[in-house]
């Protein structure tokens, strides 16, 4: 078993554009022209190819590209007891288009069961070698919590959970069980993807919550509580990092705003080993909040965008890394794209070749900065 630990100086978030063969197999499977066995054969083959590409580029971390998922977050929730979903054509309004997502809601108490993602991890783990380690990505506990208390879901949630605190306790317990399942399967590098912090930054979010009569500080406290409670008692030799994002769907975004208003919570107090942070454009604000990152955490700067095929200026990225180092030591900084390339299977608006060019640039810059 590999003993390498994430994050690495050059790293990535996890999802990759779905290859054409995978898209065609998914369409054929849904139409009933191929069976599950044939579909799984194609998925496994495409995962093997994308892992091989990651290794060819010289990265030390490998993922399955999230090729088995439709959505970066909802598929995981469907693997918990008490959660149901259906496709209705509804979704979430992003900056420029509607992100069409399955309605996902409670039909009972949340409990852990044998999670299918653990079996998916086992398939990925076989590709580890002396130079690489497999990591798996799951939505943060706060993401599951937030999903169940959005206006469309709060009514059904209250049938089973009269208070948010009761919901938080059960979500955290379910996550602790799933984390144990991953650990027993040999997983030592897990990543929790979290858009909840990114959704409450900025003046627009502040005004939105004020209009709803909700105390934003209480929201922050609940997000921190559910994440830390889920991570309580995690094995000492298991690395769990967090990726914080402002939304990424078909190259569009959900929110904008600097990290200043959440740094005292997630940067200072969340019990993760590293933070993958979106910093690819002015929507993310400046680096000053990095001064509030607790000394036990590393920071992975997402300075390379996955939303556009245009390659960043190498020197400008290097200059930004050194600017960030004014607030957190350079030896605690790593570099990555700001998000995955396909948070949902629709993917972002660039080609596979452009995707790999982005990762190549990340590696080259990191080697120039850190040697």
């Amino acid at each position: 078993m590999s003993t390498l630990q994430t994050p690495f100086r050059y790293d990535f978030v996890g999802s990759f554009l779905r290859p054409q063969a995978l898209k065609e197999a998914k369409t054929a499977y849904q139409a009933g022209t191929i069976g599950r066995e044939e579909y799984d054969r194609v998925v496994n083959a495409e995962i093997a190819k994308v892992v091989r590409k990651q290794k060819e580029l010289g990265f030390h971390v490998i993922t399955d590209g999230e090729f088995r998922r439709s959505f970066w977050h909802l598929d995981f929730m469907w693997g918990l007891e008490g959660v149901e979903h259906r496709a209705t054509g509804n979704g979430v309004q992003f900056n420029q288009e509607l992100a069409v997502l399955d309605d996902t809601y409670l039909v009972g108490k949340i409990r852990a069961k044998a999670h299918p993602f653990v079996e998916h991890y086992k398939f990925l783990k076989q590709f580890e070698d002396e130079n690489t380690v497999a990591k798996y990505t799951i939505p943060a506990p706060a993401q599951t919590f937030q999903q169940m208390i959005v206006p469309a879901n709060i009514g059904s949630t209250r049938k089973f959970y009269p208070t948010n605190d009761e919901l938080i306790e059960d979500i955290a317990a379910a996550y602790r069980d799933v984390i144990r399942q991953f650990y027993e399967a040999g997983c030592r590098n897990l990543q929790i993807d979290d858009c909840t912090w990114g959704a409450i930054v900025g003046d627009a979010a502040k005004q939105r919550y004020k209009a709803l009569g909700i105390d934003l500080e209480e929201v922050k406290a609940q997000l921190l509580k559910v994440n830390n409670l889920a991570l309580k008692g995690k094995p000492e030799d298991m690395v769990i990092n967090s990726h914080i994002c402002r939304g990424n769907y078909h190259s569009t975004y959900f929110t904008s705003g600097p990290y200043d208003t959440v740094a005292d919570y997630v940067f200072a107090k969340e019990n993760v080993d590293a933070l993958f942070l979106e910093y690819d454009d002015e929507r993310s604000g400046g680096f000053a909040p990095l001064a509030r990152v607790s000394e036990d955490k590393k920071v992975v700067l997402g300075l390379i965008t996955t939303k556009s095929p245009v390659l960043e200026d190498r020197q400008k990225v290097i200059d930004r890394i050194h600017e960030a180092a004014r607030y957190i030591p350079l030896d605690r900084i790593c570099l990555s794209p700001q998000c995955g390339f396909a948070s949902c299977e629709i993917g972002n608006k660039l080609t596979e070749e452009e995707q790999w060019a982005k990762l190549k640039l990340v590696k080259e810059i990191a080697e120039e900065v850190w040697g």
Side-chain angles (χ1 to χ4, degrees), residues 191-250:
Q191 179 179 298
I192 57 172
D193 294 329
D194 199 343
C195 284
T196 64
W197 297 107
I200 61 174
V201 296
D203 290 335
K206 183 177 180 180
Q207 295 303 317
R208 185 170 68 250
Y209 278 92
K210 184 178 181 181
L212 293 171
I214 298 173
D215 182 352
L216 198 49
E217 295 307 305
E218 184 178 351
V219 172
K220 296 171 190 177
Q222 289 177 335
L223 298 180
L224 182 67
K225 179 180 178 180
V226 70
N227 281 347
N228 280 347
L229 200 55
L231 299 176
K232 187 176 181 180
K234 80 172 181 70
E236 289 188 7
D237 60 339
M238 188 178 199
V239 170
I240 300 183
N241 303 321
S242 179
H243 164 237
I244 298 175
C245 178
R246 291 166 182 77
N248 181 20
Y249 180 87
H250 207 209

Side-chain angles (χ1 to χ4, degrees), residues 75-88:
D75 294 53
F76 175 85
M77 299 177 199
W78 304 339
L80 300 172
E81 292 281 4
V83 179
E84 189 54 81
H85 69 102
R86 59 193 174 112
T88 61

Side-chain angles (χ1 to χ4, degrees), residues 114-342:
H115 203 288
F117 276 29
V118 176
E119 292 304 312
H120 301 167
Y121 168 77
K122 290 177 182 178
F123 179 83
L124 174 67
K125 186 174 175 59
Q126 69 178 303
F127 299 109
E128 283 185 343
D129 56 33
E130 67 276 9
N131 296 313
T132 57
V133 67
K135 79 169 177 181
Y136 222 74
T137 62
I138 63 175
Q143 197 72 45
T144 300
F145 169 63
Q146 199 68 26
Q147 177 67 28
M148 303 312 167
I149 62 169
V150 295
N153 285 341
I154 191 67
S156 58
T157 295
R158 284 292 178 251
K159 295 176 184 177
F160 309 102
Y161 294 102
T163 68
N164 284 354
D165 282 339
E166 293 169 279
L167 176 62
I168 284 170
E169 290 288 342
D170 273 7
I171 289 174
Y175 267 81
R176 289 195 298 269
D177 190 298
V178 173
I179 289 170
R180 176 191 56 77
Q181 293 178 42
F182 272 109
Y183 187 82
E184 290 176 355
C187 180
R188 297 296 182 270
N189 290 267
L190 196 64
Q191 179 179 298
I192 57 172
D193 294 329
D194 199 343
C195 284
T196 64
W197 297 107
I200 61 174
V201 296
D203 290 335
K206 183 177 180 180
Q207 295 303 317
R208 185 170 68 250
Y209 278 92
K210 184 178 181 181
L212 293 171
I214 298 173
D215 182 352
L216 198 49
E217 295 307 305
E218 184 178 351
V219 172
K220 296 171 190 177
Q222 289 177 335
L223 298 180
L224 182 67
K225 179 180 178 180
V226 70
N227 281 347
N228 280 347
L229 200 55
L231 299 176
K232 187 176 181 180
K234 80 172 181 70
E236 289 188 7
D237 60 339
M238 188 178 199
V239 170
I240 300 183
N241 303 321
S242 179
H243 164 237
I244 298 175
C245 178
R246 291 166 182 77
N248 181 20
Y249 180 87
H250 207 209
S251 293
T252 63
Y253 62 86
F254 180 62
T255 57
S256 299
Y259 291 105
D260 302 63
T261 58
V262 300
D264 285 335
Y265 290 86
V266 63
F267 285 12
K269 299 176 183 177
E270 191 161 284
N271 296 328
V272 292
D273 296 291
L275 296 166
F276 283 70
L277 299 177
E278 181 179 60
Y279 263 119
D280 61 324
D281 61 27
E282 66 280 354
R283 291 184 308 103
S284 302
F287 295 124
L290 296 179
R292 286 178 265 175
V293 175
S294 58
E295 293 183 358
D296 57 339
K297 294 188 189 75
K298 293 181 180 178
V299 165
V300 187
L301 295 177
L303 298 175
I304 307 297
T305 192
T306 65
K307 292 183 169 72
S308 164
V310 178
L311 284 176
E312 285 76 3
D313 180 278
R314 181 191 306 261
Q315 190 56 50
K316 287 181 179 178
V317 174
I318 292 172
D319 291 345
R320 293 196 72 198
I321 292 171
H322 288 293
E323 182 185 350
R326 293 167 51 198
Y327 302 99
I328 185 170
L330 187 63
D331 64 1
R332 287 170 55 202
I333 298 175
C334 303
L335 180 66
S336 79
Q338 115 284 350
C339 194
F341 291 91

Side-chain angles (χ1 to χ4, degrees), residues 11-32:
D11 215 307
F12 53 78
V13 170
S15 67
F16 292 106
L17 296 172
R18 307 305 196 258
Q20 188 60 32
L22 185 57
K23 294 177 183 177
E24 291 174 358
K26 182 74 172 281
T27 299
Y29 174 62
Q30 291 176 331

